[in-house]
Amino acid sequence: MANINYNKIEFLKSAAYFKNLPEDKGIEIAFAGRSNAGKSSALNTLTNRKNLAKTSSKPGKTQHINLFRLDKQRVLVDLPGYGFSRVNRAEKKRWEEELTRYLEERQCLRGIVLVMDVRHPLTELDRAMVDFAESAGRDLHIILSKSDKLNKGKIAASVLKVKKDLKDYTINITVQPFSSLNGSGLKELKQQLDFWYSKEEASIGTDPIQQPENEAEE
Ligand SMILES: Nc1nc2c(ncn2[C@@H]2O[C@H](COP(=O)(O)OP(=O)(O)O)[C@@H](O)[C@H]2O)c(=O)[nH]1
Ligand SMILES: [Mg+2]
C-alpha cells in the first residue's frame, strides 16, 4: 500500500459546476460535511497547512468544488459544506444537482470522507449525504471531529451509535473519532486514504492528470 505524503499538496482547480471539473482521471477522494463540522480544520491537519482551503476559495466561492493535487494521480477534493444558512434556495438547488452528478458520474471518485461533529453526528443533512452516497454506491469514511471536546467513554458511545445507525447501508462505512486540535485519529485517517489511493493501483494508467491552473474557474 502506498505511503502518501499528504504535506506535499498543491491547488489544482476550483469548479462551480460539474462540467468544469478536470478530466475524470486518477483517483479522487472527496471531503464532505456540514458547515462548521470541522472539515477545513481536518484538511489542514491532514496536510499540515495553516489554511489549505483558503488558498483556493476567494470570497463568494465557498460553494465551489476545490481540487488539490497530491501527485500526478491522486487528488483531494474539498466539497462545499452544507447546511449553510447564508446560501439561498437557488444556490442550494444548484449545489444539490452538482453534488448528485459528482457522486453519480465521477469515475475517479474512490471514496468520501464525511466530517461530523462527534457531539451531534447524523443531523438530517448528514443523513441525506449518507443516502446520496448509498444510492451512488460510494464508500464512506466518517470522521467524528472535535473529539477533544468529549471524554473517552462519550467518544466511544458516539462512534458506536453512528455505526449502529448506519448498519443497514450496503456501502462500506468506517467510523473514527478525530481531533484537529490534538491530532488524535490522524493516523487512522491517513491509513484509510492510503488504502483508497492504493486500491486498484494497476488500473490507474500512466497518463497524468492535468497540470494545476493558476486561474480559478467561474
Ligand atoms: N476543539 C476543536 N475545535 C475544532 C476542531 N475542528 C474544528 N474546530 C473548530 O470548529 C469551527 C469550525 O471549523 P472548520 O474547520 O472551519 O469547519 P468547516 O466549516 O467544516 O470547514 C472552528 O472554530 C474550528 O476552530 C477540533 O478538532 N477540535
Ligand atoms: Mg470550511
Side-chain angles (χ1 to χ4, degrees):
M1 197 161 76
N3 210 332
I4 297 151
N5 180 2
Y6 293 94
N7 300 352
K8 209 175 129 267
I9 189 158
E10 58 181 341
F11 175 64
L12 181 64
K13 189 164 189 168
S14 182
Y17 294 94
F18 180 84
K19 63 177 194 302
N20 302 132
L21 287 172
E23 239 187 303
D24 198 347
K25 274 185 183 170
I27 303 179
E28 284 177 7
I29 294 174
F31 276 64
R34 62 173 298 140
S35 176
N36 220 39
K39 180 163 61 75
S40 297
S41 303
L43 279 166
N44 291 339
T45 300
L46 172 70
T47 57
N48 204 19
R49 295 292 166 103
K50 280 212 178 78
N51 219 333
L52 181 77
K54 274 272 169 62
T55 56
S56 66
S57 60
K58 295 174 190 164
K61 287 199 168 182
T62 49
Q63 293 303 100
H64 286 208
I65 299 173
N66 292 313
L67 299 99
F68 301 89
R69 200 174 84 142
L70 289 158
D71 58 36
K72 287 196 164 102
Q73 312 287 358
R74 299 179 174 96
V75 171
L76 261 183
V77 180
D78 186 10
L79 296 172
Y82 43 84
F84 200 38
S85 52
R86 204 150 58 70
V87 175
N88 64 36
R89 195 183 293 171
E91 183 76 345
K92 192 167 165 268
K93 186 166 172 281
R94 177 186 73 82
W95 165 234
E96 269 174 22
E97 283 165 7
E98 297 307 313
L99 176 70
T100 307
R101 235 184 126 187
Y102 178 72
L103 295 181
E104 281 174 358
E105 295 178 32
R106 194 75 171 163
Q107 296 292 316
C108 68
L109 175 61
R110 190 59 45 83
I112 300 159
V113 176
L114 177 56
V115 183
M116 303 190 292
D117 191 315
V118 70
R119 295 165 298 175
H120 29 85
L122 288 175
T123 62
E124 201 182 321
L125 287 169
D126 293 326
R127 256 307 171 169
M129 184 68 207
V130 177
D131 289 340
F132 272 147
E134 172 79 3
S135 59
R138 303 298 190 173
D139 289 344
L140 280 180
H141 183 66
I142 293 175
I143 62 176
L144 298 177
S145 64
K146 312 188 189 183
S147 66
D148 53 277
K149 301 252 190 197
L150 295 181
N151 65 33
K152 273 187 183 166
K154 287 197 168 146
I155 293 168
S158 179
V159 169
L160 210 67
K161 186 179 184 309
V162 170
K163 283 183 177 169
K164 207 174 146 219
D165 284 355
L166 301 179
K167 67 176 177 8
D168 293 331
Y169 287 81
T170 62
I171 50 171
N172 290 316
I173 302 179
T174 41
V175 187
Q176 66 151 105
F178 186 85
S179 167
S180 292
L181 202 72
N182 62 27
S184 82
L186 181 59
K187 202 170 141 219
E188 291 87 338
L189 173 61
K190 282 182 176 171
Q191 274 168 358
Q192 180 62 40
L193 299 184
D194 286 352
F195 170 69
W196 273 338
Y197 276 131
S198 308
K199 236 173 119 191
E200 298 156 50
E201 203 151 31
S203 71
I204 296 173
T206 48
D207 285 353
I209 54 168
Q210 74 178 63
Q211 294 302 306
E213 287 178 12
N214 292 324
E215 282 304 302
E217 288 252 330
E218 286 307 325

